[in-house]
Amino acid sequence: MALSAPLPSHLLEPPRHVAIVMDGNGRWAQRRWLPRVAGHRQGVDALRQVVKACIERGVSVLSVFAFSSENWKRPVEEVSGLMDLLAMALSREVPSLKKNGVRLYFPGDRSGLSARVVQGLEKAERETEDNETLILNVCFNYGGRWDIAQAARRLAQDGIEITEASLSNAMALSHVGDPDLLIRTGGELRISNFLLWQSAYTELVFTDCLWPDFDEAELDRALREFARRERRFGQTSEQRAQAEPEMADVGQRHA
């Protein structure tokens, strides 16, 4: 996982936080007459490439939707294969991620996971806790509605007033800022219960590319699209320009 390629000149100000709905693994496999889990295995390889590319391009946080709380409804053999794949990926990928400065988090509901899987997640988080180059949130058994509900429940139990600020601080991804860019692969035009609260002002990019085929060229296409967006956060263009004059002077169009 050597890091070498310089940041392209058109992406000198990349989004700080990129989120990805990694969709299309099963369809990728079916088109090749392979079992669906083969697509998920290939998807791990794609994620490895994207992590490397994010580091090279100066992205600080990458959050990926690895397994949603709705995915339990899938065929038993696919769910079982995904759990085995997670265990294998943890043992194989964590040493390389640690070496390259990646800090791992696994936001999601762990109550429905096996003790073996939970122990693997906790071990990976411990082993990478001192890293600072890239935060990688692998959202596993995660759902946006679950996240909001668990945050509200925790605040109520602690007797804390529920406000936008307190809810944000109780979310599963409170350790990072909201995503600037959310990419969904696979051709679907929805975010499917991923980071619902956090994506209020996130720029959305959809691509027909199936996740196993997603590479640094596809990532750059999404980053170029992000770079041309004007992010106003409810304000006018003039107000944003006055708030960040140094960015306006060089013609930057994202906050």
Side-chain angles (χ1 to χ4, degrees):
M1 190 174 170
L3 308 177
S4 57
L7 186 68
S9 59
H10 58 275
L11 301 177
L12 289 177
E13 291 288 345
R16 181 181 182 278
H17 183 177
V18 174
I20 305 179
V21 178
M22 306 182 295
D23 191 26
N25 293 325
R27 281 173 285 157
W28 183 92
Q30 289 173 330
R31 291 177 185 179
R32 291 161 176 77
W33 302 97
L34 297 170
R36 290 176 62 87
V37 72
H40 295 297
R41 291 194 191 99
Q42 191 68 26
V44 173
D45 293 337
L47 179 56
R48 186 186 307 115
Q49 290 186 57
V50 170
V51 168
K52 174 177 175 287
C54 283
I55 293 173
E56 292 171 346
R57 284 149 182 76
V59 174
S60 299
V61 183
L62 175 63
S63 299
V64 297
F65 207 5
F67 188 85
S68 80
S69 48
E70 287 79 29
N71 286 157
W72 293 106
K73 303 171 186 175
R74 293 191 173 188
V76 173
E77 61 271 15
E78 182 176 355
V79 173
S80 177
L82 281 167
M83 295 300 164
D84 290 340
L85 181 61
L86 174 65
M88 179 197 71
L90 286 173
S91 62
R92 188 179 72 182
E93 303 293 337
V94 169
S96 177
L97 293 170
K98 182 178 179 180
K99 179 181 177 182
N100 286 288
V102 178
R103 181 170 186 175
L104 278 163
Y105 287 89
F106 295 91
D109 183 5
R110 300 187 184 182
S111 63
L113 303 178
S114 70
R116 177 177 69 107
V117 168
V118 171
Q119 289 169 3
L121 302 183
E122 292 175 346
K123 182 172 184 287
E125 289 180 335
R126 285 196 306 272
E127 290 185 357
T128 62
E129 64 184 0
D130 294 327
N131 291 345
E132 298 180 347
T133 301
L134 175 75
I135 291 176
L136 175 58
N137 296 306
V138 180
C139 297
F140 198 84
N141 199 25
Y142 175 90
R145 291 179 176 178
W146 164 84
D147 198 0
I148 295 169
Q150 67 82 26
R153 183 169 55 250
R154 190 193 315 175
L155 294 176
Q157 289 173 347
D158 294 342
I160 300 173
E161 181 185 4
I162 297 177
T163 65
E164 287 190 20
S166 64
L167 268 176
S168 292
N169 290 333
M171 292 285 172
L173 278 81
S174 61
H175 56 285
V176 294
D178 293 343
D180 303 295
L181 169 65
L182 188 152
I183 304 165
R184 178 168 185 151
T185 65
E188 303 292 352
L189 305 179
R190 56 181 178 270
I191 61 174
S192 294
N193 199 24
F194 186 44
L195 302 181
L196 296 182
W197 178 270
Q198 297 89 342
S199 296
Y201 285 99
T202 298
E203 297 296 323
L204 308 179
V205 172
F206 300 97
T207 173
D208 291 333
C209 179
L210 301 178
W211 175 247
D213 293 325
F214 195 90
D215 56 16
E216 64 180 46
E218 288 289 338
L219 176 64
D220 281 347
R221 275 191 275 274
L223 295 182
R224 282 194 292 271
E225 173 61 23
F226 173 83
R228 75 176 191 84
R229 304 277 179 92
E230 182 182 28
R231 307 184 72 204
R232 296 190 297 271
F233 301 95
Q235 297 180 320
T236 66
S237 299
E238 292 75 12
Q239 286 175 311
R240 294 302 297 172
Q242 290 172 3
E244 301 188 28
E246 73 283 358
M247 294 184 70
D249 289 342
V250 296
Q252 294 292 341
R253 293 185 294 277
H254 60 277

